[in-house]
Amino acid sequence: MYCVKKINDDLYWVGGSDRRLALFENAYPIPRGISYNSYVMLDEKTVLFDTVDRAITGQFLENVEAVLDGRNLDYIIVNHMEPDHCATLGEIVRRYPDVQVVCNAKTVPIINQFYEFGVDSRAIIVKEGDTLSTGKHNFTFYLAPMVHWPEVMVTYDTTDKVLFSADAFGTFGAMNGNIFADELNFERDWLDDSRRYYSNIVGKYGPSTMTLLKKLATLDIQLLCPLHGPVWRSDINWYVDKYLLWSSYEPEEKSVMIAYGSIYGNTENAANILACRLADQGVKNVVVYDVAVTHPSVLISEAFRCSHLVFASATYNSGIFSSMEHLLMDMKSHNVQNRTVALMENGTWGITAGKKMAEIISQMKNMTILDDMITIKSSVKEDQLTEINAMAEAIVKTL
Ligand code: FEO
């Protein structure tokens, strides 16, 4: 049975959620599920905005059919050709053979790479600033390359001031009946997943996101319709402000994430002592994570939130503890930058972790590594408490 949500007089949400998928992109845990948003506009012409992941094909097709209520589908606007939004494009074309595909020049070859239905004969190719009228509604298209693929564009309905923002402003998390962000406690229940989504999926492309945000700053956006997560109809600037911080790699908070890789608990002990001394000195919202048990996507997200990062690693196989090495390489891949870093290393013999961590961090942009790395030999001793105190002081001084 169809399950749709009316957004305004002419616009309907026809997407769905997947609460079974363990790993989004086969990489990121999504314990709260994920929604794949798609929208239908009923005007003199009918318009579908993107499709959905194959996991919810049946629900989606029923939704589209129900909203169209016997009408033909005139246009499908393809803002993003990643399979979580295009896996059902072929089926839509098969069911609505007269549909015209509205996309930009970079989208066409990607459609032809995924599909054999031959998009060229039905494509309406749009460029930056081009418009399309469907009767009452007029749409303007803005290219948004690398937010998060090269062909991405966003579509602005100048009539109702609706922005179809593709992956931008999306979040992990299934939709649970309440489709509007103002019906949820977004800051309490969704912000962490939203940051984790941005930082891990789009975070590498901060400059591209900033370019898009500059374009959007000229628009009056009353309704924000992303491809994942809730629709925004109020407090949109609050969310845009988060994106301004994240895309410019500015920390959201002056706070500290301590990530440790510990084999027998001694490195963990040092991390915990440092966390206590930071808290003693007034630092709030300090977080401590065991890199072996916390998924790197959470740590990437926390690195986007916190101004200061501490990495404490045991030496392992003559190098960095493997989960810590994976985290640092992941941070580098996701373009984490502009942070102040402190390092702790541990080992019983042949201690190398600190030097090797510093080598990786030095390859990231604008990272300041504080002097006086702490070296622990097997376990923290009484006389090292002064060193840990001094590290806490050095961090507080630069907060
Ligand atoms: Fe939600 Fe880049 O796909």
Side-chain angles (χ1 to χ4, degrees):
M1 176 52 67
Y2 65 86
C3 177
V4 302
K5 291 282 291 184
K6 187 166 182 168
I7 294 177
N8 66 20
D9 285 348
D10 303 331
L11 187 64
Y12 295 81
W13 177 82
V14 293
S17 291
D18 186 347
R19 298 180 183 83
R20 287 190 176 191
L21 185 67
L23 296 174
F24 180 72
E25 291 187 0
N26 210 12
Y28 304 104
I30 44 169
R32 297 174 58 249
I34 181 93
S35 80
Y36 304 105
N37 298 342
S38 172
Y39 306 89
V40 167
M41 181 161 281
L42 300 179
D43 197 359
E44 287 173 28
K45 300 282 189 183
T46 58
V47 188
L48 177 66
F49 297 86
D50 293 290
T51 70
V52 296
D53 189 84
R54 66 180 176 182
I56 59 163
T57 303
Q59 180 71 74
F60 168 67
L61 293 171
E62 280 195 69
N63 288 351
V64 172
E65 196 177 334
V67 171
L68 289 176
D69 193 21
R71 292 183 65 182
N72 202 2
L73 181 63
D74 296 303
Y75 299 114
I76 170 157
I77 296 176
V78 178
N79 286 312
H80 187 11
M81 255 315 278
E82 191 166 6
D84 54 333
H85 309 296
C86 79
T88 34
L89 177 62
E91 183 59 22
I92 285 289
V93 170
R94 198 183 67 75
R95 286 181 171 226
Y96 305 98
D98 298 328
V99 71
Q100 289 188 283
V101 177
V102 182
C103 61
N104 64 73
K106 283 187 189 161
T107 318
V108 172
I110 300 180
I111 294 177
N112 285 330
Q113 281 173 210
F114 279 109
Y115 289 108
E116 292 185 301
F117 62 72
V119 70
D120 303 72
S121 61
R122 61 176 71 246
I124 297 175
I125 310 290
V126 295
K127 301 186 299 296
E128 176 81 13
D130 278 0
T131 58
L132 173 77
S133 176
T134 57
K136 177 180 151 195
H137 292 268
N138 296 298
F139 299 98
T140 306
F141 304 97
Y142 298 94
L143 303 183
M146 301 321 295
V147 187
H148 126 250
W149 274 20
E151 87 299 352
V152 171
M153 65 180 193
V154 301
T155 302
Y156 180 63
D157 173 9
T158 55
T159 309
D160 281 350
K161 307 193 185 320
V162 184
L163 181 75
F164 298 91
S165 62
D167 274 342
F169 305 106
T171 174
F172 296 132
M175 304 293 271
N176 303 309
N178 297 116
I179 194 156
F180 295 106
D182 55 86
E183 298 173 324
L184 310 159
N185 191 331
F186 192 90
E187 190 164 8
R188 186 191 67 191
D189 299 332
W190 288 75
L191 179 60
D192 285 347
D193 257 345
S194 170
R195 185 190 307 104
R196 192 165 66 89
Y197 174 85
Y198 173 81
S199 55
N200 285 278
I201 307 297
V202 191
K204 180 180 180 64
Y205 308 111
S208 307
T209 307
M210 277 198 280
T211 301
L212 173 62
L213 293 175
K214 275 185 198 136
K215 290 182 191 180
L216 301 186
T218 64
L219 304 178
D220 175 12
I221 301 167
Q222 297 295 322
L223 202 55
L224 178 59
C225 296
L227 287 176
H228 303 283
V231 169
W232 290 74
R233 60 184 174 186
S234 60
D235 291 329
I236 292 173
N237 284 341
W238 175 86
Y239 201 19
V240 171
D241 284 346
K242 294 289 181 201
Y243 262 66
L244 287 168
L245 287 176
W246 297 339
S247 62
S248 58
Y249 303 99
E250 288 297 324
E252 224 174 310
E253 266 189 82
K254 289 184 184 302
S255 193
V256 184
M257 172 178 80
I258 304 173
Y260 68 82
S262 187
I263 301 165
Y264 295 108
N266 292 299
T267 311
E268 176 184 13
N269 180 225
N272 281 327
I273 295 168
L274 177 66
C276 289
R277 298 296 80 79
L278 287 166
D280 290 348
Q281 296 192 39
V283 184
K284 296 203 165 61
N285 299 326
V286 177
V287 285
V288 180
Y289 291 103
D290 184 332
V291 296
V293 298
T294 306
H295 193 271
S297 66
V298 173
L299 306 175
I300 297 280
S301 178
E302 290 289 54
F304 271 68
R305 182 179 68 82
C306 295
S307 57
H308 287 58
L309 311 174
V310 179
F311 301 103
S313 179
T315 298
Y316 199 68
N317 287 332
S318 303
I320 307 166
F321 185 63
S322 44
S323 332
M324 177 66 82
E325 186 169 21
H326 180 209
L327 169 65
L328 294 174
M329 295 308 292
D330 219 20
M331 285 178 55
K332 189 178 148 201
S333 303
H334 283 87
N335 230 348
V336 172
Q337 55 187 271
N338 197 31
R339 295 295 186 269
T340 302
V341 171
L343 297 174
M344 292 174 154
E345 63 178 354
N346 190 5
T348 301
W349 48 272
I351 304 174
T352 59
K355 181 170 171 279
K356 293 197 170 181
M357 287 195 292
E359 280 167 12
I360 298 174
I361 293 162
S362 301
Q363 294 163 25
M364 302 179 206
K365 284 184 203 152
N366 200 19
M367 300 291 263
T368 305
I369 302 178
L370 295 175
D371 295 335
D372 300 328
M373 174 173 70
I374 292 177
T375 299
I376 300 150
K377 290 187 175 162
S378 301
S379 65
V380 179
K381 310 295 184 307
E382 184 75 28
D383 59 3
Q384 275 196 305
L385 296 179
T386 315
E387 270 183 80
I388 297 178
N389 255 335
M391 179 175 275
E393 275 167 21
I395 290 170
V396 169
K397 242 184 236 166
T398 56
L399 267 178

